[in-house]
């Protein structure tokens, strides 16, 4: 694992955007695995700025997202499909037909997960997978205890995650209870992985991810076994690691 220490959220976003830009420049028709959530918002903003300046071209890029709430349509403003259009896809020259997100409206979980696994395979796999991390160590919607060998599957969200995500909904009751998510196996098949983390609430999860045991109770700890992982994290997210003198 390569760890880059960013001084704050903006610095983290810029460093992460630089790594994604490099991937697009090296391989203009690359497949990007993308994440939603608060952490990558600044990264997407930076990529949009560079695109608008003429420094980046998304014309041939393909994007495949990690996850989507089950039950939300792509036009619901809390869906991850909506998030991606708002923060990235509508603001750059990516072909929307080259962007893929699980279909939250497909009620048949087995059918949707099989379809999504096929989509990832037909794209030839993911070149660079962007990940955020939950305070409990989740990646995608792979919650603690999830088996490492799963591909896309339907997840029952934990109370912690429902609570954390409720900040985007007008009431706790409106937060979906299930999601479609790439599994740990799908994530581990990406050729390279970029994990971004910001803030003290991620410090413990990040410490366990990098230095702890590889255990399903900390889903992100499996990343220790991947041979091309880059972590960009700010001072707060690295605080425990730094306190322990490990960085
Ligand atoms: C989102 C995703 C989640 C988030 C994680 C952190 O697509 O897969 O695993 O990356 O919940 O979310 P934030 O960045 O909002 O703290």
């Amino acid at each position: 694992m390569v760890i880059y220490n960013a001084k704050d959220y903006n610095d983290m976003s810029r460093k992460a955007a630089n790594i994604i830009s490099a991937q697009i420049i090296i391989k203009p028709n690359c497949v990007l695995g993308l994440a939603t959530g608060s952490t990558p918002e600044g990264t997407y903003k930076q990529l949009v700025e560079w695109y608008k300046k003429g420094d980046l071209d998304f014309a041939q890029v393909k994007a495949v997202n990690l996850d989507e709430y089950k039950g939300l349509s792509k036009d619901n403003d809390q869906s991850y499909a909506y998030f991606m259009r708002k923060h990235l896809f509508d603001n750059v020259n990516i072909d929307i037909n080259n962007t893929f997100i699980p279909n939250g409206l497909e009620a048949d979980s087995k059918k949707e997960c099989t379809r999504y696994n096929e989509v990832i395979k037909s794209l030839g796999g993911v070149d660079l997978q962007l990940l955020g991390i939950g305070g409990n160590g989740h990646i995608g919607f792979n919650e603690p205890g999830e088996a490492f060998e799963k591909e896309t599957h339907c997840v029952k969200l934990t109370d912690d995650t429902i609570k954390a995500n409720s900040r985007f909904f007008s009431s706790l009751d409106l937060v979906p209870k299930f999601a479609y998510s790439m599994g740990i196996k799908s994530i581990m098949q990406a050729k390279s992985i970029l994990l971004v983390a910001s803030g003290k609430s991620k410090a413990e999860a990040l410490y366990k991810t990098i230095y702890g045991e590889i255990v399903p109770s900390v889903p992100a700890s499996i990343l220790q076994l991947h041979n091309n992982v880059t972590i960009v994290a700010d001072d707060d997210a690295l605080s425990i690691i730094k306190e322990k003198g490990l960085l």
Side-chain angles (χ1 to χ4, degrees):
M1 284 184 179
V2 179
I3 305 168
Y4 291 111
N5 183 181
K7 59 177 186 295
D8 54 24
Y9 180 78
N10 285 340
D11 189 31
M12 178 208 74
S13 302
R14 214 179 147 76
K15 285 183 163 62
N18 261 307
I19 292 167
I20 297 171
S21 300
Q23 172 68 74
I24 298 172
I25 290 164
I26 292 165
K27 186 177 176 188
N29 63 347
C30 63
V31 178
L32 298 178
L34 297 178
T36 60
S38 311
T39 317
E41 277 185 26
T43 306
Y44 295 145
K45 193 163 169 249
Q46 182 64 79
L47 290 172
V48 170
E49 253 175 55
W50 286 335
Y51 162 73
K52 287 194 170 148
K53 270 175 64 189
D55 288 342
L56 262 184
D57 182 8
F58 288 79
Q60 298 176 63
V61 171
K62 290 166 214 134
V64 59
N65 262 77
L66 277 171
D67 43 18
E68 178 61 283
Y69 287 119
K70 185 174 180 184
L72 297 193
S73 86
K74 65 182 174 35
D75 297 318
N76 183 303
D77 62 4
Q78 294 308 330
S79 73
Y80 287 173
Y82 186 96
F83 174 104
M84 289 310 303
R85 291 200 305 278
K86 178 174 165 197
H87 291 283
L88 187 66
F89 300 158
D90 282 354
N91 308 316
V92 297
N93 65 333
I94 197 165
D95 179 347
I96 202 74
N97 296 315
N98 284 336
T99 68
F100 305 90
I101 299 188
N103 176 8
L105 284 190
E106 176 55 67
D108 182 337
S109 300
K110 197 162 170 236
K111 186 172 160 203
E112 180 54 15
C113 295
T114 305
R115 183 194 73 82
Y116 205 63
N117 287 333
E118 285 309 316
V119 166
I120 300 168
K121 279 190 196 108
S122 72
L123 294 172
V126 171
D127 290 299
L128 175 62
Q129 177 67 56
L130 177 64
L131 294 178
I133 182 168
N136 62 4
H138 74 223
I139 46 177
F141 269 124
N142 297 286
E143 301 285 8
E146 193 75 83
F148 283 152
E149 59 271 14
K150 285 190 183 168
E151 297 187 292
T152 309
H153 58 296
C154 182
V155 181
K156 185 176 187 325
L157 305 186
T158 62
D159 290 345
D160 281 353
T161 298
I162 292 172
K163 215 164 118 201
N165 292 353
S166 67
R167 68 193 192 276
F168 301 113
F169 291 82
S170 49
S171 90
L172 197 64
D173 294 346
L174 293 176
V175 187
K177 309 295 179 286
F178 291 90
Y180 291 128
S181 178
M182 281 189 202
I184 299 281
K185 182 174 172 186
S186 337
I187 293 171
M188 289 296 280
Q189 282 168 345
K191 292 168 194 119
S192 61
I193 292 176
L194 168 61
L195 185 142
V196 286
S198 169
K200 281 240 158 50
S201 64
K202 305 296 171 72
E204 198 184 338
L206 204 55
Y207 166 66
K208 288 183 176 163
T209 293
I210 304 172
Y211 296 101
E213 258 185 275
I214 301 169
V215 280
S217 56
V218 184
S221 63
I222 190 78
L223 298 176
Q224 292 176 34
L225 297 181
H226 194 284
N227 64 6
N228 192 343
V229 176
T230 303
I231 295 178
V232 180
D234 65 11
D235 278 339
D236 283 345
L238 289 168
S239 54
I240 296 181
I241 291 173
K242 290 175 116 180
E243 270 159 36
K244 290 185 184 284
L246 294 166
L247 193 74

